[in-house]
Structure formats: C-alpha cells, structure tokens
C-alpha cells in the first residue's frame, strides 16, 4: 500500500516527465518552425539540386575589334553533343547514329554511351547544321546544346598578336589571354528535373540561367596597316629567303601599336596544325616545342643585337650629357683602338674628318665609340637605365623578354665601345622602338600597347585603359636635335633608301652580324619615323638572315619606304 510520501514522489516524477516531454515537444516544434520558415530556401535548394540535372551554357566571348570597327576575332555558333545514361532507351541506335554522324569510332561512342554517369560529352564544337540534324533524330538520352567557338575572319592576320583560345574558350596566347577576364563572360546553365532514377520529368520542363556575354575589346591595331605590313614582310621573306621578317608600326606619342607583324604567321582557326613536311613520328614534347616556336612573337619574345639603330641611343646620351654637339668633329681612319682591341668601321678606308651629324649620316663606328668613351662607363650605364632599357616596356602581350646587358662591374672599355654601336648585348624589337620613340617625341617614355577600351553588348564603354608615361627621358632640345640629325640620315645619308617623296622622314639603318662572328649570318634593320619634325608614326623593319645583299639600308629601308608611301596618306599625315 502506497504511503502519502510515495504518492507525492510519483506525482513529482510524473510531473517532471510531463514537463520534459513538453520541453522536448517545444524544442522539436521550434526546430520544425525554424526549418520550415527560416531555412526553407536552403532545403528547397537542396531538394531542387537533388532532382535537377545541370548543363552548362557557354557565354559568348567578347570580340576583338580594330580601331576602325573591323572585327578581328568573333564567335561561331556550334553544338556540344552529350548523352545521359539513365535516359537512353535505344543504346545501339544511339551508338550507330552518333558514330556515323560525328565521324567517330563505334568503340569510342560505345564507351561513353555505356558509362554510368550523370552526363557524358561525346563531341564539342560540332557544326550547327550537323547538331540540328542530330537533334531531329529525337534520340532519348541524347542532348544537343548550342555553344560558341572562337572564329578569326582573317585566318593568319596578326596571329601572334591576337592569339587564340582553347576548347573551353579561354585565352591561350596573345591578347586573348591578357584580356581574358574582360572577354570571357559568365556561363549560363540549363536545369532539368529528374525522378529518383535520373530520368527527366518531361512535364516539369527546364529552367535556364542565361549566360552573360563577355565584353568586346577595342584595340589600337589598324587592320589595313596590319594587312599591308604583312604583305611587305611576306614579300621580303620570300625574295630574300630570310628566316623571319618583323615589322612594327606605332604612334610614338602615345604608344598605340598600329601593326605588329612577325612572319611566318600561323592560321588562327587551326593553331595546332603543323607545317607541311613535319615528321610524323614526333614525340608529344617535340610537337609542343615546334608549336611554341610557331606561335612565338619575335617582336617581343626574342632579343637581338640591334647594331647601328642603337646609335640613336648613344647619340642622345652624348648630346644630353654635353660631351658632343652637332658641330663636334671626329676623324675616322677606318678603325679605332680600344685597349688592345682594333675595332673597324664598316668603311675600310674610313670617313676622314666629319662633324657629328655626318657621323650619324655615315653610321661611323669609331665616332660613336668615341662618344661612348667620352661619356665613360658610369655615365653611359646611367643613361642606359634612364632611357628604360633595363626595364621591360610593359606591353600588353605575354612573354616579353628583358634586355640582356653586361653587368656594370663586368664592363670594361671594350664592352663599352661595342655597346656604343649596338653590339655585345641584346634587346627586343619593341624595346628599341619604344626607346627611340621617347628620344624623338620630346622625351616621354610611353608604354606600347594594343588595348584601348572595352564595350558591352549595347556599345557602351565599360573600361578605358590607361598606361604609364615617364617624362624627362631627354630634354625637348635634345629631342629636336635628334629629329634633325635622323632626318639628315634619311635625306642624304645611309638611310636614303627610306626616303618617301613628298614627306619628311627620319631614321637609322643597321646591319648587325649574329653570333658567332664570322658565321655569315646578318640581321638587316631600319627604324624610321614621320613627319620628321613632329613624329606621328614610327616603324621598324627587321629581316633575319637575308640571303645575298644583307645591308639594312638596301634590305630593310625600302620596306619602310613602301609602307610609308601607302600609310602616310591613309593616316592623313601632311607632306611637305
């Protein structure tokens, strides 16, 4: 028989259990309310994700457009064909049709059709007409999604500048990779509802998250100038049986590049195609090395000994330091002795007595060596750095090479002498052109570039690119003197083959021998600008290892002359 104390104990125990149950119920109810109200969106997304299959939609990549609105890189609509294992009803029919229509082996298609996965891609970049044809078969489990493939309307034009994209539409080389983040856009998605077996629920339809197209890139290149420069370079390559020919055309006032040619070029629509006659048994590494060589842009990726075109820099340093004036006289017996080294002039008999302007007109080695020696190692090296030659130009292309120069502590008189007339060190063509521009444009070190701005789909400007400028490279007075001297070089000196009738042109020739000396291999080059008194365009032509006549004045200068005869009127530059 229960006592009163026991009754009280049991009542308390029942009350505690009841309160605990009420507490648990309140907690569970609160949790349920929390999940149903505050976390509803989260679990709704999880449920949707569980029953939705996702297919990506590529965004249209932004175009590349030249300064006149000509499209240099565009997009073509293509298709991606995929299969979904759980939805295939007639696997043998699917294998037969896809292997036949897509020109694939039956074994290749079978492995993908029979692979148990959410989705298996059969082939990308399928022509749209063929994709539409496959879609018309109405094969269960076969998906044909529209996609984009990069297309270059002018095939190999400016191939080493524009670059190309991979199968994922991301940039590989050139402007395509540098401005990838602007042009790539944002991919969209196709979402379809499936049941527990992964089969699409047809009544549920599909949801689309539309892709966002990339921005168009407007560049400074002029397609007409690029085309003509390419034509001239190709002619020189063939007639002189050269290894390569490069032509650069730039506005020396702001660094906008109008043309950059490095022939031979390659087909942008088939960038992995190897030249005819390539051995078939190449290893993967050998093939890739060959392709890298084909894609290489000699204007920025390669260095060379500039030869006498570099006398522009030595002359400007000498004038800036006051160790020489236009009236300074030099005597050239055909050689100069530096320490124990006899360095010859290209004119064996020498130029005799001449003023400084005529030393440049004659491209006299002993005279320019004398200027370098007057400057001295410390001063010359300081100007080398002041002119920006130890830094990269900062051009908006990948893989720019740096200057290969002696360390100051390793330089003696002989090294100083050879550098003064452009030998025993190496720079890139774009570095030479940029430095020469800063000397003739009033002393402003500009940044060479292609990118100007980006546009959205409606043509609105989104980004305007700005580039650094370093002032005071040389004084305006020195710059004006250099323009006058270099105009005389073309008017009456070694660069007379670069003269353009009706226009004032300044410039400098060069003929440099490649290493090892005595190999019989030369580089002919010419740098020219116009108008000489107010430069609006500057160009450089480099012919690597021309056969027969190899002098810069006879091989490279005529290239720039022909270029200017066509593009100076086109650019609206007034003649004399």
């Amino acid at each position: 028989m229960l006592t009163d104390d026991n009754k009280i104990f049991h009542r308390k125990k029942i009350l505690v259990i009841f309160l605990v149950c009420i507490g648990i119920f309140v907690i569970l109810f609160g949790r349920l309310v929390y999940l149903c109200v505050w976390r509803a969106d989260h679990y709704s997304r999880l449920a949707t994700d569980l029953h939705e299959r996702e297919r990506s939609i590529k965004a249209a990549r932004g175009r590349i457009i030249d300064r006149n609105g000509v499209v240099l890189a565009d997009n073509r609509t293509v298709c991606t064909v995929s299969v979904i294992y759980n939805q295939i009803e007639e696997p043998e029919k699917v294998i037969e049709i896809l292997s036949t229509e897509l020109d694939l082996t039956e074994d290749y298609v079978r492995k993908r059709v029979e692979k148990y996965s959410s989705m298996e891609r059969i082939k990308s970049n399928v022509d749209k007409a063929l994709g539409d044809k496959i879609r018309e078969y109405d094969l269960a489990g076969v998906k044909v999604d529209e996609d984009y493939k990069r297309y270059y309307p002018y095939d190999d034009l400016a191939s080493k500048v524009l670059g190309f994209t991979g199968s994922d539409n991301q940039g590989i080389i050139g402007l395509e990779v540098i401005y990838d983040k602007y042009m790539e856009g944002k991919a969209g998605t196709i979402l379809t509802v499936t049941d527990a077996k992964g089969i699409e629920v047809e009544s549920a339809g599909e949801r689309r998250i539309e892709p966002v197209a990339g921005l168009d890139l407007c560049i400074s290149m002029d397609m007409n100038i690029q085309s003509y420069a390419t034509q001239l370079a190709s002619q020189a390559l063939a007639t002189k049986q050269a290894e390569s020919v490069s032509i650069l055309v730039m506005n020396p006032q702001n660094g906008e590049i109008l043309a950059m040619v490095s022939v031979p070029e390659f087909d942008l629509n088939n960038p992995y195609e190897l030249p005819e006659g390539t051995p078939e048994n190449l290893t993967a590494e050998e093939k890739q090395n060959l392709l890298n060589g084909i894609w290489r842009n000699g204007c920025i990726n390669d260095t060379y000994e500039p030869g006498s075109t570099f006398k522009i820099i030595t002359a400007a340093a000498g004038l800036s330091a006051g160790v020489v004036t236009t009236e300074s006289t030099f005597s050239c017996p055909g050689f100069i002795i530096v320490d124990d080294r006899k360095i010859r002039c290209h004119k064996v008999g020498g130029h005799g007595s001449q003023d400084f302007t005529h030393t440049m007109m004659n491209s006299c080695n002993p005279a320019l060596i004398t200027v370098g020696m007057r400057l001295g190692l410390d001063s010359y090296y300081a100007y080398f750095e002041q002119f920006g030659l130890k830094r990269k130009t900062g051009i908006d292309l990948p893989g720019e090479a740096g200057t290969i120069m002696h360390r100051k502590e390793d330089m003696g008189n002989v090294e100083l002498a050879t550098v003064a007339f452009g030998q025993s060190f190496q720079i890139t063509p774009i570095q030479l052109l940029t430095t020469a521009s800063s000397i003739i444009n009033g002393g402003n070190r500009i940044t060479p570039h292609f990118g100007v701005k980006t546009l959205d789909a409606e043509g609105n400007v989104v980004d305007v690119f700005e580039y650094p400028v370093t002032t005071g490279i040389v004084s305006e007075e020195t710059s004006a003197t250099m323009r006058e001297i270099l105009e005389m070089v073309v008017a009456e000196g070694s660069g007379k083959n670069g003269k353009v009738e009706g226009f004032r042109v300044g410039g400098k020739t060069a003929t440099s021998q490649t290493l090892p000396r005595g190999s019989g291999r030369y580089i002919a080059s010419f740098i020219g600008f116009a108008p000489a008194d107010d430069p609006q365009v500057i160009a450089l032509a480099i012919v690597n290892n021309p056969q027969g006549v190899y002098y810069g004045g006879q091989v490279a200068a005529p290239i720039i002359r022909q270029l200017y005869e066509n593009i100076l009127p086109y650019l609206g530059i007034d003649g004399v």
Side-chain angles (χ1 to χ4, degrees), residues 44-260:
S44 177
R45 284 195 299 271
L46 289 180
T48 299
D49 291 343
L50 184 64
H51 292 283
E52 280 189 331
R53 177 170 283 109
E54 180 179 299
R55 306 202 309 274
S56 177
I57 314 173
K58 282 185 183 176
R61 189 172 176 84
R63 302 172 299 170
I64 300 179
I65 304 171
D66 90 333
R67 68 191 302 109
N68 300 314
V70 178
V71 177
L72 303 176
D74 207 342
N75 301 296
R76 271 183 174 169
T77 302
V78 292
C79 295
T80 296
V81 179
S82 306
V83 293
I84 300 174
Y85 178 84
N86 283 341
Q87 297 178 10
I88 296 175
E89 296 174 358
E90 301 174 281
E92 291 302 322
K93 183 178 180 181
V94 168
I95 292 168
E96 179 186 354
I97 290 176
L98 293 187
S99 59
T100 301
E101 296 292 354
L102 297 177
D103 194 25
L104 298 170
T105 65
E106 184 177 307
D107 183 56
Y108 175 89
V109 176
R110 182 178 298 278
K111 285 180 180 178
R112 281 151 182 78
V113 168
E114 295 179 351
K115 184 176 180 180
Y116 189 86
S117 63
S118 59
M119 178 175 286
E120 196 68 24
R121 181 179 296 179
I122 302 296
K123 191 173 183 178
S124 300
N125 295 328
V126 176
D127 186 76
K128 187 177 184 303
L130 180 55
D132 291 340
K133 182 178 179 181
I134 293 173
R135 190 183 285 119
E136 288 172 1
Y137 283 107
D138 196 24
L139 299 169
V142 176
K143 299 298 176 183
V144 181
D145 296 320
E146 291 193 356
D147 205 343
Y148 294 101
K149 179 183 179 182
R150 204 57 158 166
Y151 168 64
Y152 302 91
Y154 299 97
D155 296 321
D156 63 350
L157 185 73
S159 61
K160 297 176 181 179
V161 174
L162 299 178
F164 57 91
T165 62
S167 59
D168 56 359
N169 253 7
Q170 286 188 315
I172 301 293
I173 64 170
L175 295 174
E176 290 279 24
V177 70
I178 292 295
Y179 291 97
D180 189 69
K181 67 178 181 180
Y182 297 96
M183 294 189 288
E184 65 179 347
K186 185 177 180 180
T189 307
I190 298 174
L191 299 167
T192 54
V193 179
T194 62
D195 59 19
K197 295 181 179 179
I199 299 174
E200 284 187 10
V201 180
E202 293 186 11
S203 60
E206 64 181 29
R207 289 194 304 125
R208 290 174 65 93
I209 300 174
E210 295 298 332
V212 179
L215 299 174
D216 288 340
L217 174 68
C218 297
I219 63 175
S220 59
M221 179 183 290
D222 188 306
M223 192 273 283
N224 294 316
I225 297 176
Q226 179 76 24
S227 297
Y228 189 58
T230 302
Q231 179 184 332
L232 290 174
S234 298
Q235 288 175 353
L237 185 74
T239 58
K240 296 305 298 181
Q241 299 178 347
E243 291 181 6
S244 63
V245 179
S246 298
I247 299 177
L248 276 163
V249 187
M250 186 171 76
N251 182 334
Q253 303 295 336
N254 59 17
E256 289 187 351
I257 301 174
L258 304 177
M260 179 181 284

Side-chain angles (χ1 to χ4, degrees), residues 232-378:
L232 290 174
S234 298
Q235 288 175 353
L237 185 74
T239 58
K240 296 305 298 181
Q241 299 178 347
E243 291 181 6
S244 63
V245 179
S246 298
I247 299 177
L248 276 163
V249 187
M250 186 171 76
N251 182 334
Q253 303 295 336
N254 59 17
E256 289 187 351
I257 301 174
L258 304 177
M260 179 181 284
V261 178
S262 183
V263 294
E265 304 267 357
F266 63 92
D267 186 355
L268 286 166
N269 293 307
N270 297 285
Y272 294 94
E273 186 176 58
L274 296 174
E276 289 186 18
T278 302
E280 296 182 0
N281 58 345
L282 292 178
T283 64
E285 183 179 0
E286 288 172 336
K287 182 178 179 180
Q288 189 59 56
N289 289 337
L290 182 57
L291 287 171
N292 289 339
I294 292 171
W295 301 336
R296 193 173 183 84
N297 186 344
C299 294
I300 63 165
N301 301 142
D302 295 331
T303 58
Y304 77 115
E305 288 186 323
S308 294
T309 49
F310 194 77
K311 291 173 182 175
I312 296 173
I313 284 83
T314 301
L319 290 168
S320 296
V323 301
V324 65
T325 67
T326 53
E327 288 78 31
S328 299
T329 58
F330 298 83
S331 179
C332 171
F335 63 90
I336 187 172
I337 303 296
V338 179
D339 290 347
D340 59 346
R341 186 77 58 87
K342 186 176 185 179
I343 303 175
R344 296 186 179 278
C345 186
H346 67 88
K347 186 176 182 181
V348 179
H351 294 103
S353 181
Q354 56 192 335
D355 62 25
F356 185 62
T357 298
H358 280 84
T359 67
M360 290 292 288
M361 293 167 61
N362 296 327
S363 195
C364 178
N365 287 349
L368 271 297
I369 290 172
T370 301
V371 174
M373 302 303 287
R374 287 180 184 178
L375 281 165
L377 178 57
D378 289 340

Side-chain angles (χ1 to χ4, degrees), residues 305 310 314 338-341 343 368-369 372-373 376-377 380-381 384 404-425 517:
E305 288 186 323
F310 194 77
T314 301
V338 179
D339 290 347
D340 59 346
R341 186 77 58 87
I343 303 175
L368 271 297
I369 290 172
M373 302 303 287
L377 178 57
Y380 193 96
Y381 211 89
F384 198 92
I404 302 173
M405 178 62 173
H406 307 279
R407 292 187 305 171
K408 183 179 175 181
E409 55 268 29
D410 295 335
M411 287 183 71
N413 288 332
V414 172
E415 288 75 23
L416 174 58
T418 54
V419 168
F421 66 93
Q423 288 192 357
S424 80
F425 74 100
R517 308 294 183 209

